Amino acid sequence: MNPAESDTEAQLLKSLPEHLAPFGTERSNLIPILQMVQKHFSYLPAAAMEIVARHLDIPLAEVYGVATFYNQFRFTPPGRHPIKVCLGTACHVKGGDIILENFERKLGIRDGETTADREFSIERVACVGCCALAPVALVGETVHGNMAPSKIEGLFTRIQVEKEMAQRKKRENEPDA
Amino acid sequence: MNQTPENTPESRLAAIRRRAEDQRRARMDTDAPKIHIGLATCGIASGALDTKQAFEQALAEQGIEALIHTVGCAGHCYAEPVVIIDHPQSGFPPIFYHQVTAGKAKMLVKLFLAGGDPRLEHVYGATVENDLIPSVMEFPRFNREKRVVMEKCGRVDPEDIDDYLAEGGYGALARALAMTPEEIVAAIEASGLRGRGGAGFPTGRKWRLAAAATAEGKVVICNADEGDPGAYMDRTLLESNPHQMLEGLAICARAVGARQAVVYVRAEYPLAVRIVTRAIAQAEALGLLGQGILGTDMNLDIEVFQGSGAFVCGEETALIRSIEGYRGMPVHRPPYPAQKGLHGRPTVINNVKTLASVPPIIEKGPDWYAAIGTEKSSGTAIFSVVGDVVHPGLVEIPMGVTLRELIFDICGGVPGRKGFKAVQIGGPSGGCLSEAFLDTPIDFDSLTEAGAMMGSGGMVVMSQDSCPVDVARFFLDFTQKESCGKCTFCRIGTWHLLEILERITVGEGREEDVELLQQLGEDIKDGSLCGLGKTAPNPVLTSLKYFADEYAAHIREKRCPGMMCRALTAYYIDLEKCARGCDACVGCCPTDAVFTTSTRKKGIDQALCVKCGECMVACPPEYDAVRKVSPASLAPIIERPVKPVAEAEASATPAKDAP
Ligand SMILES: Cc1cc2nc3c(=O)[nH]c(=O)nc-3n(C[C@H](O)[C@H](O)[C@H](O)COP(=O)(O)O)c2cc1C
Ligand code: FES
């Protein structure tokens, strides 16, 4: 984590209690709270888990016990461009695992991991709901259907181009700011 | 309560509906063309948002007045993005266009909306009968369906309750409010409705049980957890017409006497969560849900709970545990949730499709519903038909239609010249059926008898190029990971089943494995507490039974007949056909496995090849030189020539994991 990122995380942590306030302290709030925390930080940091355990007055181990049971929760930060490869039934029969492997090879990380620069992370998901387009991968929120290994290179080029365009725009805007 | 004709639920609803119709008329009753765009997940994934933007932009550029109406999904996923253009002034009926890209959208604005030419070559069909353009109803994909649950999907805007009201929505709730709870339960019983969540439990009986419970604080829950990794009809229903489910939920609450309701939607379905939340707020604002529904003394608080993605949480007792804030582990039944459920209170849990079937039953009568489908399975079934079919998507058919009719007549059969091999029905709990079963009627009991089950309603059609053993392995991999770990048979048994299947698919299967799979599978079924373990071996047991020869080929010959198991297949380049100097396959190989032979043709380095098949796609059809074989030993060995220096660098990135 670079210094800027740990700074923002400290800030997020500071504002956590105020986001917790609307939730009651009954046990049935646990999962909605965890969902809120994950939305807030984009993952479940250890420090936040302690605050949640105190809020509900239950052992920290209980909080982890529940959080690790469900697929939705992650304990490492995702990349800025989270890649989700669908390995649902339709995507599996159309070779979704080959797509996953290609992303893994290209980025040098495995499913569930984040690149060192926190740009990308890879995750497998089950059925995105557009099986007619199988195999499917998501980059951020964008769904890419009919994926093929040869399309992956193009995807990264596009992300790079978009990033450079955004930077150029930012630079252009800066003088007036 | 004292009800004069002016304040009966029906008259209140009539007033609400009048206002909705007026508002809709004010917006829709213009001569301007109307453009209906499908914006559910599948549409968006196919680029429907770009299409919508292109329409808006083109309309602005051409200065044309037109109304864009966003609707949900009508189930025709093969045709997305779907657009229906209703342009009365052109003299044409409303027209269904398929695969409307941004470019096509611009073209249609210019040529059809401005020019009056509907571009017949792009038309899929008219949506109504007429003399000019053949109607879509002439296609089996449309006319063989029977829409009860999905009737309004693709017609109404899911974010606008007025649409649903104007189409007759909430009429069944008003009627149910004038009935006694006993009458409602009796109507549902008489309709023969069975739960669409998988097991087909009679809904009326479940409601009666809960209605009879005397405990306070009853709860009704809509199960939209949809854990099957290859099914998406519940999501589509919620994204396309959430009110029909909500109306059913309210009728259920009225029948059993509940004041609290929960819609349990998976968090992975953000669009569905948003649309349902909004639908509840809109209905509450009009007094259709919430306090004092339609002027009566009925109250119903509905909350949306986001499921956190565990397959087992679709199981009703696990679902309850997760709402209570615990790990979603099933508990023993009885007591059934209908007696003792959420926080110990009587709880009715029904699937989305079950609840969405309720309003039409109340509206049109139990006899009407019972007449659809078969004697023991009344009504309709919704399947998401995917895989190797020409027209994949959601299909709603009356129960009793055969698999053959569904797959071949309605969905167009297997594309290309590849023949049909198998169909997997019911997701991870279901089974894999062979061609011999194609004449099986689709209903709860016939499917169970064949070894599959209705399950979630996921249906994957497989051509000759697919492998039932690999699909069984895929589902076991899923259920093994999703087993909550409570029962030993399920936790460890599925792990062993998976291990054996894995070894078979990589060519290390043993002669005794078939026997072992059978035995273990039956033991897991007997020894597990909940439906997950009880059904997890189904994909293995059915494929063992109906595709024994496939298992034998994998074990004895190390051959995968469908050429899906990567360890048992190999690609090679036919040097007779390969064109000297052509480099088409080189660039596309992700692992630099393709090399140039001394004769300037290409060869594949089997040690580096990950068998992605890209070279086969890239090879120009006039050469068609790439071959795929199984067993892998059939591929001729072509040595890589001693490397020139430049190439040595290029191959310095080693393949990370050879399969
Ligand atoms: C492992 C497992 C997963 C299930 N998943 C779902 C599901 O995703 N959606 C659903 O409606 N029912 C699911 N069920 C069935 C529910 O337990 C329950 O029977 C159903 O929601 C009752 O509704 P119905 O009577 O309308 O079918 C699942 C059952 C098991 C054993
Ligand atoms: S299986 Fe991948 S989108 Fe459905």
Side-chain angles (χ1 to χ4, degrees), chain B residues 385 388-390 402-414 420 422-423 438 459-461:
Chain B
V385 185
D388 294 314
V389 278
V390 174
T402 65
L403 285 170
R404 188 186 303 280
E405 288 171 280
L406 173 58
I407 298 170
F408 288 89
D409 301 346
I410 301 179
C411 292
V414 178
F420 169 89
V423 56
L438 280 177
M459 183 176 290
V460 187
V461 180

Side-chain angles (χ1 to χ4, degrees), chain A residues 85-93 125-138 143, chain B residues 228-232 235 386 474:
Chain A
V85 184
C86 179
L87 290 181
T89 320
C91 291
H92 170 78
V93 294
V125 293
C127 199
V128 186
C130 39
C131 310
L133 303 176
V136 171
L138 284 101
V143 179
Chain B
D228 174 349
Y232 55 99
R235 145 193 273 193
V386 300
F474 165 79

Side-chain angles (χ1 to χ4, degrees), chain B residues 195-197 206 223 226-227 311 314-316 349-351 354 531-532:
Chain B
R196 292 325 195 232
K206 188 183 279 190
N223 186 347
E226 198 162 66
F311 175 57
E315 199 281 337
E316 50 193 24
I349 302 189
N350 274 133
N351 174 261
T354 316
L532 193 150

Side-chain angles (χ1 to χ4, degrees), chain B residues 194-203 206-207 221-228 234 266 310-319 330 333 348-355 429 444 455-456 479 530-535:
Chain B
R194 294 171 66 175
R196 292 325 195 232
F201 189 83
T203 305
K206 188 183 279 190
W207 290 15
I221 298 178
C222 168
N223 186 347
D225 194 46
E226 198 162 66
D228 174 349
D234 291 352
R266 25 180 53 205
F311 175 57
V312 73
C313 285
E315 199 281 337
E316 50 193 24
T317 59
L319 183 147
R333 300 178 304 180
V348 174
I349 302 189
N350 274 133
N351 174 261
V352 179
K353 296 175 288 281
T354 316
L355 291 169
S429 319
F444 287 105
S456 53
T479 35
C530 86
L532 193 150
K534 281 189 194 302
T535 57

Side-chain angles (χ1 to χ4, degrees), chain B residues 39-58:
Chain B
L39 274 189
T41 299
C42 47
I44 293 176
S46 314
L49 285 174
D50 290 341
T51 304
K52 179 166 174 256
Q53 207 180 8
F55 270 115
E56 284 163 351
Q57 203 182 339

Side-chain angles (χ1 to χ4, degrees), chain B residues 302-354:
Chain B
I302 305 189
E303 77 176 288
V304 176
F305 188 92
Q306 297 189 33
S308 291
F311 175 57
V312 73
C313 285
E315 199 281 337
E316 50 193 24
T317 59
L319 183 147
I320 288 173
R321 288 300 280 165
S322 82
I323 299 181
E324 290 171 350
Y326 295 86
R327 301 166 137 234
M329 286 185 170
V331 293
H332 194 272
R333 300 178 304 180
Y336 287 94
Q339 302 156 313
K340 224 169 166 240
L342 185 64
H343 302 299
R345 301 187 242 143
T347 305
V348 174
I349 302 189
N350 274 133
N351 174 261
V352 179
K353 296 175 288 281
T354 316

